[in-house]
Amino acid sequence: MDAAKNPFAPGAGTQPPELTGRTVNLERARIALERIKAGRPERSSLLIGLRGVGKTVLLNRIYEMAVRSGYHAVFIESPEDASLTELLVPPLRQILFRLDTREGVKDKLYQAMGALRSFASVFEVKIPAIGLEVKVAPGLADSGNLDHDVTDLLVTIGEAAKEAGVGVALLIDELQYVTQKELAALISGLHRVGQIGLPLIVFGAGLPQLAGLTGKAKTYAERLFEFQTIGPLNAQDAYRAIEEPITKESASIDTDALKELMDATEGYPYFLQEWGLHAWNRAPRSPITVEDVRSATQDAASALDGGFFRVRFDRLTKGEKEYLRAMAELGRGPHRSGDIAAKLRRSVETMAPVRANVIAKGMVYAPAHGDTAFTVPKFDEYMKRVMPEFSPHTPNRKSGK
Ligand SMILES: Nc1ncnc2c1ncn2[C@@H]1O[C@H](COP(=O)(O)OP(=O)(O)OP(=O)(O)O)[C@@H](O)[C@H]1O
Ligand SMILES: [Mg+2]
């Protein structure tokens, strides 16, 4: 069918033609935003899930929802090597500039601007001159202790927002890349903001390791956040995600073709978009048949191998690739770390640094202590395709390693 009219949208954070299966998450976000705005207590949320399940898309929807309901909202993606403090300062500064400067509101605003200025200077974050004639606020966000200073910053901004009668929403993607120190500081700040009842809320998203990281950063974190698991779509939602965009283009798809799509993708949103795209392109005419879907499987798989999987594979060292290949040899997982090491004919201790690295790179996570699983769905199958031979290390007899 006409590729120019193809509605499907595989991509990172690309809005799908039809967002299905997330009504509960969107409704929770709506309630949280309303409650915070009304000065009622509400927890911040963390959206947790594997690669390609739709966390970024959802976070973007929540961002739009916040803006629509009058929030000053900021969307930040935490890259692997930048610091959260650096990322936070410029958008927070922007928010403060947009806040009301009427008499009576001004004092809190200037205080927040002063705190931001101190904070930027203490943590050496380069920002353009603050602009307004703002003095640093001595004693606020200038201790050099990240926990205290982030708390001061969030509290003064929350107070300024409260005075101005608006809410502040911080949306932070890829939160698993934030250092433990920064995560701890963010959590401390939010804790305080919540205690005082200020209108500031965070929606974070990240890989499954995020749940453990927050708990490690602060033990009380699990009470501070609502953890929402974002998973694959169930059959009904997956069918809708495929069928509705097709119907909107005045075409149709057979029921057994939908079933075939569900089997091939297991309901993972990224895969659904990829398969949907290729099934549409393969089909000579409407309706899209099960044969069209089958012949699209090759196209979809090579598109994934060349993109979604490949970009992740390319970031691995030789040793890390071997580790993941050994995992794949064992099957889909999760696997015991001991079993993976044994497959590699190495000890758990020898492999521990490699395991730590692939966790830090966001390739695997520990669903339970001593377990290891892929964060990318179907990565085990890909590893076998890209490295067909599994040749474990031959132990060096002398060293015994
Ligand atoms: N609920 C949904 N229904 C249909 N398609 C969806 C849904 N959610 C996401 N998608 C599609 O899935 C793909 C991946 O979405 P997104 O980038 O938000 O995932 P992610 O969880 O952020 O992945 P990553 O961990 O790699 O950043 C996109 O092409 C998007 O259009
Ligand atoms: Mg994402």
Side-chain angles (χ1 to χ4, degrees), residues 22-344:
R22 306 296 183 222
T23 321
V24 172
N25 310 91
L26 289 168
E27 181 58 9
R28 283 203 199 153
R30 187 192 66 77
I31 293 169
L33 288 168
E34 297 243 325
R35 287 181 58 84
I36 289 281
K37 215 164 73 174
R40 298 200 171 92
E42 185 59 82
R43 284 181 295 175
S44 284
S45 283
L46 294 182
L47 314 174
I48 301 216
L50 300 180
R51 288 280 174 213
V53 287
K55 303 178 294 295
T56 303
V57 156
L58 200 52
L59 212 54
N60 265 308
R61 291 280 170 115
I62 299 172
Y63 170 83
E64 286 162 13
M65 193 190 274
V67 171
R68 269 200 311 275
S69 64
Y71 270 76
H72 285 311
V74 175
F75 191 105
I76 304 167
E77 182 184 326
S78 167
E80 245 177 293
D81 42 12
S83 85
L84 181 69
T85 37
E86 244 167 65
L87 289 172
L88 269 177
V89 168
L92 289 180
R93 176 175 169 271
Q94 245 177 28
I95 286 187
L96 290 178
F97 271 111
R98 285 189 311 208
L99 284 182
D100 204 336
T101 48
R102 275 173 311 173
E103 283 306 318
V105 177
K106 234 168 39 185
D107 289 355
K108 292 280 181 203
L109 179 61
Y110 282 4
Q111 197 170 37
M113 283 181 165
L116 186 72
R117 212 181 127 180
S118 304
F119 185 86
S121 120
V122 169
F123 293 99
E124 295 174 354
V125 181
K126 289 190 194 69
I127 48 165
I130 288 280
L132 286 178
E133 285 307 302
V134 199
K135 294 198 189 77
V136 291
L140 272 182
D142 61 0
S143 72
N145 173 310
L146 197 61
D147 266 33
H148 290 171
D149 294 349
V150 169
T151 301
D152 280 353
L153 191 62
L154 295 185
V155 166
T156 53
I157 288 173
E159 284 173 346
K162 189 175 181 180
E163 289 279 323
V166 295
V168 170
L170 308 179
L171 297 107
I172 314 177
D173 203 3
E174 303 282 356
L175 203 49
Q176 78 280 346
Y177 287 142
V178 169
T179 63
Q180 185 159 329
K181 228 174 118 199
E182 288 185 317
L183 196 57
L186 180 70
I187 296 168
S188 292
L190 277 180
H191 193 201
R192 189 73 195 126
V193 158
Q195 284 171 343
I196 318 175
L198 297 172
L200 187 148
I201 187 165
V202 168
F203 292 91
L207 294 174
Q209 45 265 61
L210 181 57
L213 291 173
T214 52
K216 243 193 235 164
K218 292 279 174 197
T219 43
Y220 58 80
E222 70 187 54
R223 281 166 282 142
L224 200 63
F225 290 106
E226 185 186 11
F227 292 89
Q228 297 181 30
T229 305
I230 311 299
L233 301 176
N234 63 30
Q236 200 189 356
D237 293 327
Y239 289 2
R240 268 209 312 123
I242 293 292
E243 198 167 17
E244 301 250 332
I246 294 174
T247 314
K248 272 190 203 147
E249 293 300 329
S250 311
S252 62
I253 177 164
D254 291 343
T255 308
D256 50 353
L258 282 174
K259 285 204 185 98
E260 183 75 17
L261 273 169
M262 183 66 195
D263 287 347
T265 62
E266 296 173 34
Y268 280 101
Y270 194 101
F271 299 158
L272 278 168
Q273 296 299 326
E274 198 74 82
W275 254 265
L277 180 100
H278 291 287
W280 173 287
N281 287 347
R282 276 277 170 174
R285 70 192 69 79
S286 176
I288 298 172
T289 64
V290 69
E291 284 77 29
D292 298 331
V293 173
R294 281 187 193 134
S295 58
T297 290
Q298 191 54 44
D299 304 340
S302 29
L304 288 171
D305 284 4
F308 187 71
F309 293 130
R310 181 66 195 254
V311 291
R312 303 198 152 90
F313 181 78
D314 284 349
R315 296 170 57 244
L316 302 168
T317 64
K318 187 164 173 279
E320 291 162 1
K321 285 176 185 166
E322 271 170 12
Y323 190 83
L324 299 192
R325 181 62 183 82
M327 279 176 69
E329 193 67 15
L330 290 166
R332 171 169 266 208
H335 305 296
R336 302 297 300 163
S337 303
D339 294 343
I340 304 168
K343 259 280 167 244
L344 289 159

Side-chain angles (χ1 to χ4, degrees), residues 339-350:
D339 294 343
I340 304 168
K343 259 280 167 244
L344 289 159
R345 302 195 198 132
R346 302 269 198 139
S347 68
V348 173
E349 294 73 31
T350 320

